[in-house]
Amino acid sequence: HAMTDVTGFGLGGHGLEMARGSGCDIEICWAAVPRLPGVMEAAAEGHLTGASGRNWASYGAGIDLPADLGDLDRGILTDPQTSGGLLVACAPEALGEVLATFRRHGFDHAAAVGRVLGESATPRLRIV
């Protein structure tokens, strides 16, 4: 059980932080991650921050990406915008209750985006 805000290090950095802190590999399904409307279009127009690239340079060695994940998606994964989104880990049997709680409080885009894979000597974040 853990929770972190997704801010200056982006989803990639904070997901890796949770993996390292728990001593477990974590998997995030990129297609399941909610995105703001227009985010891909904005990225395609060149609206990515320099910090996104610096974030990747800083911690990218700890993240496994699928071969077909493009540079725009990687830029969004490491985007440092301080949106205040949360990354929450809970037991699988509590998932329905956790999502219902978020939705009851107005967070309709709350979604299950990944899973903890188990203990690892060298914890990594895996994007699938």
Side-chain angles (χ1 to χ4, degrees):
H1 301 82
M3 181 167 52
T4 186
D5 60 334
V6 179
T7 55
F9 296 104
L11 179 59
H14 289 288
L16 181 59
E17 170 188 49
M18 287 180 77
R20 289 175 173 167
S22 67
C24 295
D25 286 338
I26 293 179
E27 178 181 272
I28 292 179
C29 176
W30 188 239
V33 174
R35 293 165 184 80
L36 293 171
V39 71
M40 291 305 295
E41 294 81 5
E45 292 173 2
H47 300 286
L48 289 171
T49 65
S52 181
R54 289 188 297 276
N55 277 344
W56 180 254
S58 170
Y59 61 71
I63 299 178
D64 297 329
L65 299 176
D68 62 345
L69 190 81
D71 290 341
L72 295 180
D73 286 301
R74 190 185 77 200
I76 292 167
L77 175 69
T78 59
D79 186 82
Q81 301 302 313
T82 54
S83 67
L86 298 175
L87 181 59
V88 178
C90 67
E93 59 272 12
L95 178 60
E97 183 179 352
V98 169
L99 287 174
T101 299
F102 277 109
R103 291 189 178 121
R104 186 170 53 252
H105 291 280
F107 299 99
D108 296 332
H109 291 89
V113 299
R115 62 191 177 121
V116 176
L117 298 175
E119 291 185 27
S120 174
T122 54
R124 300 186 61 77
L125 177 64
R126 299 168 193 248
I127 307 299
V128 297

